[in-house]
């Protein structure tokens, strides 16, 4: 078993995504401040959320485990070891036990979620989305506990406990033998997370933009978080068909379309569609809030900032996918580069721009 695992790690050394995962985990754990600005989540909770992104970077196009769960899970474990090694190495140098534990637990729990999704025949993009959402949800639950949760229970304990519970549930869900689904999960998973995202956007519009405008930064971060979780894997890893190697070769060999609006079926159109559609789903509630706020004279800028941020994120993601395809980068590499940029942005915002997002205290 150990010899096979070492062989798989050596094979993964040929993937640029593996090295990107290790380097990003190392840099994030080394540069994340020990004390974040007032109103931010504690460093262990930020570490847990970053663990989901790092696990998605390392997993990439997770191998299907429907027929051979053992080898596929071993392959996935070898991939998860890259960001885990980078994170734990930097945390050990810093001597921060909570940083090592929370970030490592976030990576491992997200890896279990990816393995369970692969076992249940979900697309790699949907598995990555689920992993990011689970880690971010656990961190959000811990942040709530820091401000208004159970008295005497540290938020980092709540967040780590939520990660353990999520990993246990995912392992139980994916551990059984796959059944003959009447409707394959891969056809339902994207609709489920899209529905959740729309519900979250509507809740943010009502709760943070209408009833508590001072909490608009929370809506901004939540919207961007949902965008990263939904749009980045869908745009980079794709639907499992148009992003396949043979289809991509056929697409490159086809005559060039006369304009951007005439993109034919294939990777480029799917990537742009994923970015723009997700931004539209998450952006229309704050757009409504901006219009209503402008008409009522209550100020439309907080909601308009959310819309502008989503538009900028969609533009950057679409451009990154087009450039990556022009450079013939693999879907794994493209997702790794985009998610690594997201991790770096979070660390820079925490370390270099403490007043950028003045979060109100949760509760």
């Amino acid at each position: 078993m150990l010899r096979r695992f070492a062989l798989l790690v050596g094979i993964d050394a040929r993937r640029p995504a593996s090295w990107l995962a290790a380097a990003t985990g190392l840099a994030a754990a080394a540069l994340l401040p020990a004390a974040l600005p007032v109103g931010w989540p504690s460093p262990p909770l930020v570490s847990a959320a970053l663990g989901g992104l790092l696990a998605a970077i390392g997993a990439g196009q997770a191998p299907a485990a429907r027929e051979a769960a053992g080898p596929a899970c071993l392959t996935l474990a070898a991939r998860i070891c890259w960001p885990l090694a980078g994170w734990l190495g930097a945390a050990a140098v810093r001597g921060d036990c909570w940083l090592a534990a929370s970030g490592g637990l976030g990576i491992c729990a997200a890896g279990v979620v990816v393995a369970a999704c692969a076992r249940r025949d979900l697309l790699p993009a949907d598995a990555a989305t689920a992993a990011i959402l689970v880690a971010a949800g656990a961190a959000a639950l811990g942040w709530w506990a820091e401000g208004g949760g159970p008295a005497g229970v540290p938020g980092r304990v709540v967040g780590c406990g939520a990660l353990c519970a999520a990993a246990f549930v995912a392992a139980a869900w994916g551990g059984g033998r796959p059944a003959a689904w009447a409707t394959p999960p891969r056809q339902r998973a994207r609709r489920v997370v899209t529905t959740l995202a729309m519900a979250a956007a509507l809740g943010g519009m009502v709760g943070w933009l209408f009833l508590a405008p001072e909490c608009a930064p929370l809506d901004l971060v939540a919207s961007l978080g949902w965008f990263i979780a939904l749009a980045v894997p869908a745009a980079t890893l794709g639907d499992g068909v148009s992003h396949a190697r043979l289809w991509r070769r056929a697409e490159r060999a086809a005559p060039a379309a006369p304009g951007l609006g005439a993109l034919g079926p294939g990777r480029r159109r799917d990537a742009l569609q994923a970015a723009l559609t997700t931004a539209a789903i998450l952006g229309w509630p704050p757009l409504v809030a901006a219009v209503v706020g402008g008409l009522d004279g209550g100020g439309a800028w907080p909601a308009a900032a959310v819309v502008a941020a989503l538009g900028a994120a969609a533009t950057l993601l679409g451009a990154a996918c087009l450039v990556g395809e022009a450079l013939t980068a693999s879907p794994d590499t493209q997702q790794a580069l985009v998610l690594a940029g997201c991790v770096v942005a979070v660390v820079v915002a925490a370390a270099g721009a403490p007043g950028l997002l003045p979060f109100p205290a949760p509760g």
Side-chain angles (χ1 to χ4, degrees), residues 70-103:
C73 289
L74 195 62
T75 300
L76 184 59
R79 294 185 176 186
I80 295 299
C81 276
W82 288 86
L84 186 62
W87 183 276
L88 293 181
V93 171
R94 294 181 58 169
D96 192 330
C97 295
W98 270 108
L99 186 71
S102 58

Side-chain angles (χ1 to χ4, degrees), residues 269-292:
R269 189 178 73 175
D270 289 351
L272 292 177
Q273 182 177 356
L276 296 176
T277 301
T278 306
I281 291 173
L282 296 171
W284 74 262
L287 180 61
V288 171
V291 172
V292 173

Side-chain angles (χ1 to χ4, degrees), residues 60-62 114 117-118 120-130 185-187 189-190 233 237-241:
Q61 288 183 298
V114 173
C117 291
R120 288 296 178 175
D121 201 28
L122 267 66
L123 293 173
D126 295 337
T129 293
R186 65 171 53 194
Q187 298 179 12
R190 182 57 47 172
L237 299 182
D239 58 3
V241 178

Side-chain angles (χ1 to χ4, degrees), residues 139-241:
L141 185 62
W143 190 17
W144 167 80
E146 286 183 344
V153 180
R156 57 191 180 184
V157 174
V158 174
C160 290
L163 285 174
C164 293
F168 178 80
V169 171
W173 177 64
R177 184 174 181 83
W181 299 97
T183 302
R186 65 171 53 194
Q187 298 179 12
R188 298 182 300 176
R190 182 57 47 172
R191 292 199 296 268
V192 170
V193 294
T194 301
T195 302
L196 292 176
M198 183 176 295
L202 289 171
M205 176 188 70
V206 175
W208 289 331
L209 298 179
F210 283 155
L211 300 180
E214 67 277 6
C215 296
L218 294 176
D219 189 69
L220 172 62
V221 172
S223 298
L224 290 177
W226 276 102
F227 180 85
I228 292 171
L230 268 68
V232 173
T236 53
L237 299 182
D239 58 3
V241 178

Side-chain angles (χ1 to χ4, degrees), residues 270-340:
D270 289 351
L272 292 177
Q273 182 177 356
L276 296 176
T277 301
T278 306
I281 291 173
L282 296 171
W284 74 262
L287 180 61
V288 171
V291 172
V292 173
L295 294 177
D296 292 344
W301 290 112
V306 178
V307 178
L310 288 171
T315 302
L316 291 174
L317 177 58
C321 291
L322 292 179
V323 171
E325 184 60 22
L327 298 176
T328 67
S330 67
D332 275 9
T333 303
Q334 292 191 35
Q335 179 188 243
L337 286 171
V338 176
L339 291 182

